[in-house]
Amino acid sequence: MKLKLHWQILIALVLAVIAGRLSGVDGEWLGIHMYPVYAFLGTLFMNALKMIIVPLIVASIISGVSGMGGTSGLGRLGGKTILFYMTTSLLAILTGLLFVNLIDPGLVDGEPARAIVGLDPAAAAQVAQKVQGRTASDLTDVFLSMVPPNVVAAAADGQMLGLIFFSLLFGYFMTRIDRDSGSLLGRFWQGVADVMMGMTELIMKFAPLGVFGLVAKTIAGIGAEQLNAVAVSLGSFTLSVMLALAVHALITLPLLLYLFARVNPLAHYRAMLPALLTAFSTASSSATLPLTMECVRDNAGVSNRTASFVLPLGATVNMDGTALYECVAAMFIAQAYGLELSLVSQFTIVLVALLTSIGVAGIPAASLVAITIILAAVGLPAEAIGMILAVDRILDMFRTSVNVFSDSVGAVLIARSEGEQGVLRG
Ligand code: ASP
């Protein structure tokens, strides 16, 4: 009997941790230098996923929106989607805020921990250069990018928000043109979407190999210094983020799933496992989107119509794990710098975390830029971000899984509220 895909991926993940630790960056096996092998496998898998993202997003949104039956259907689904995304992101941020206030990771014996955590000066300078000049006004750029001046350039640069906006309009106006042309276009885009799902199924078969490469490379690259940071100097920061993420993914979201959709959370976790593990390994919700769609449709039983609309949007704008992380990270840095944060400042952090999480791209380490925007908003220097670099990658893997999980819960809740009967029930 063939082993189920999620078992294959899980085994690959465990093997990757062992192989990565054993080989490190320089290790050889049978005379072969292993690190480039991991990198090759991982990059090939990431490339294959990224290759289909643009046509997948465009085709699914256009066919989803054009099949929605005009303004009222679209408005209803859009309203529910935005409501769900905003509510869960806010809940996630508040959970983060609670834990960071309870644990106070930036304080050691009541004193700001800046000196103890220490900034890696080289890394900090590098990041500072990258994010130089970012201020809260960059928030407006996020919203400006929704209407791209050149849609082809937006697609080429991975500006998903712009691409989504264009596709929404395209799908909507397909319902307003003459019937013949409209239905011809409808069949065309549906065909493209179906082909992309076919390609996804093929790529999924290689997920165990890809996950192995990505995770082994990450683990091999983790040096003693980073392990030390996770365990000692940044231990309570890591703990605050992980606990808050766990509460959100293991209590809040499952509760919503059970209360509003009567879906057994365990069955939903099982249905989503391949996508969650891929999110964990790639640290990119955008690259995971093809698998998220496949799992939500085929395993969780959500209709094509709902999944096509809710998920591409979710992978781009709904990032619960990211929003939570931004809040905890900014609060941690402020504490470590000895900044007294009034309620007003904390409220600013919550608000900016919510807004920036919408604009953060679904790619690895994208939160860092958003965090510097928050730091600027409360008057801290951008290079302070250097404090959390050592643990960012590891936390990225967890927060990206939470991002993807939240999208999938949204798709199920919305499908149930639309009266869909095929949804997996507990
Ligand atoms: N890596 C995250 C994602 O793709 C974004 C981030 O928080 O950095 O969802």
Side-chain angles (χ1 to χ4, degrees):
M1 219 181 81
K2 218 170 146 250
L3 212 56
K4 283 236 163 65
L5 182 69
H6 58 259
W7 285 116
Q8 293 180 26
I9 303 180
L10 263 176
I11 293 170
L13 210 123
V14 174
L15 290 179
V17 173
I18 299 171
R21 276 276 26 99
L22 285 181
S23 74
V25 179
D26 304 314
E28 291 191 354
W29 190 56
L30 301 174
I32 302 170
H33 187 189
M34 292 310 288
Y35 191 77
V37 176
Y38 305 150
F40 176 78
L41 288 175
T43 310
L44 202 62
F45 180 57
M46 277 291 254
N47 282 359
L49 287 171
K50 286 185 193 161
M51 173 178 81
I52 56 174
I53 292 293
V54 169
L56 178 70
I57 287 193
V58 173
S60 17
I61 294 194
I62 291 180
S63 58
V65 170
S66 62
M68 230 161 251
T71 324
S72 68
L74 178 63
R76 199 182 56 236
L77 209 67
K80 286 181 195 169
T81 308
I82 292 171
L83 180 71
F84 174 85
Y85 288 166
M86 286 296 182
T87 313
T88 53
S89 296
L90 195 61
L91 286 174
I93 299 176
L94 293 178
T95 311
L97 192 67
L98 178 73
F99 277 93
V100 81
N101 275 314
L102 281 179
I103 299 178
D104 281 337
L107 304 178
V108 173
D109 299 330
E111 290 297 316
R114 184 178 171 193
I116 299 164
V117 176
L119 287 176
D120 171 355
Q126 225 178 26
V127 182
Q129 204 179 18
K130 216 164 82 185
V131 296
Q132 199 90 62
R134 294 211 170 253
T135 60
S137 70
D138 284 319
L139 265 184
T140 43
D141 289 350
V142 167
F143 293 96
L144 272 182
S145 74
M146 277 185 187
V147 186
N150 178 341
V151 71
V152 179
D157 297 342
Q159 299 273 1
M160 295 308 167
L161 274 182
L163 207 58
I164 288 177
F165 181 71
F166 178 81
S167 309
L168 284 171
L169 283 182
F170 195 105
Y172 174 71
F173 281 102
M174 265 167 60
T175 61
R176 319 286 284 184
I177 57 175
D178 84 73
R179 218 176 242 267
D180 274 356
S181 314
S183 75
L184 177 72
L185 280 176
R187 290 210 308 282
F188 170 77
W189 286 111
Q190 186 56 54
V192 177
D194 291 346
V195 168
M196 289 307 128
M197 291 320 286
M199 287 196 191
T200 304
E201 276 170 35
L202 176 72
I203 297 170
M204 265 173 94
K205 295 205 167 77
F206 295 94
L209 268 182
V211 164
F212 175 83
L214 288 166
V215 176
K217 177 173 171 256
T218 308
I219 298 281
I222 292 180
E225 181 198 316
Q226 272 148 311
L227 281 181
N228 187 47
V230 173
V232 189
S233 50
L234 289 171
S236 40
F237 169 62
T238 311
L239 185 76
S240 315
V241 175
M242 297 287 253
L243 280 178
L245 284 176
V247 166
H248 192 66
L250 302 176
I251 299 176
T252 312
L253 289 174
L255 217 58
L256 292 179
L257 208 52
Y258 184 71
L259 292 179
F260 292 104
R262 295 273 159 222
V263 164
N264 176 353
L266 287 179
H268 187 69
Y269 285 122
R270 197 171 323 117
M272 292 308 300
L273 209 51
L276 295 179
L277 294 173
T278 306
F280 182 77
S281 325
T282 58
S284 166
S285 34
S286 182
T288 309
L289 177 65
L291 266 82
T292 316
M293 291 190 67
E294 186 76 28
C295 291
V296 164
R297 277 188 350 172
D298 292 1
N299 302 350
V302 172
S303 74
N304 203 2
R305 170 181 173 273
T306 305
S308 310
F309 179 78
V310 175
L311 293 174
L313 211 62
T316 313
V317 305
N318 180 43
M319 301 206 174
D320 291 8
T322 294
L324 181 158
Y325 179 69
E326 284 179 27
C327 172
V328 177
M331 289 286 297
F332 163 70
I333 294 172
Q335 285 176 353
Y337 266 72
L339 202 75
E340 267 314 319
L341 283 176
S342 61
L343 268 180
V344 177
S345 307
Q346 299 208 15
F347 177 74
T348 311
I349 293 184
V350 170
L351 194 72
V352 184
L354 184 66
L355 292 176
T356 47
S357 74
I358 297 173
V360 165
I363 55 173
S367 296
L368 294 180
V369 173
I371 295 169
T372 58
I373 296 180
I374 303 184
L375 293 181
V378 292
L380 282 164
E383 59 271 13
I385 193 96
M387 293 179 82
I388 57 170
L389 285 187
V391 288
D392 185 66
R393 173 67 196 201
I394 294 175
L395 296 176
D396 201 358
M397 297 164 93
F398 287 97
R399 66 179 185 259
T400 307
S401 304
V402 175
N403 289 345
V404 168
F405 186 63
S406 165
D407 297 340
S408 74
V409 170
V412 168
L413 288 193
I414 291 164
R416 286 291 302 151
S417 77
E418 290 281 297
E420 284 183 25
Q421 295 303 324
V423 176
L424 193 73
R425 304 292 288 279

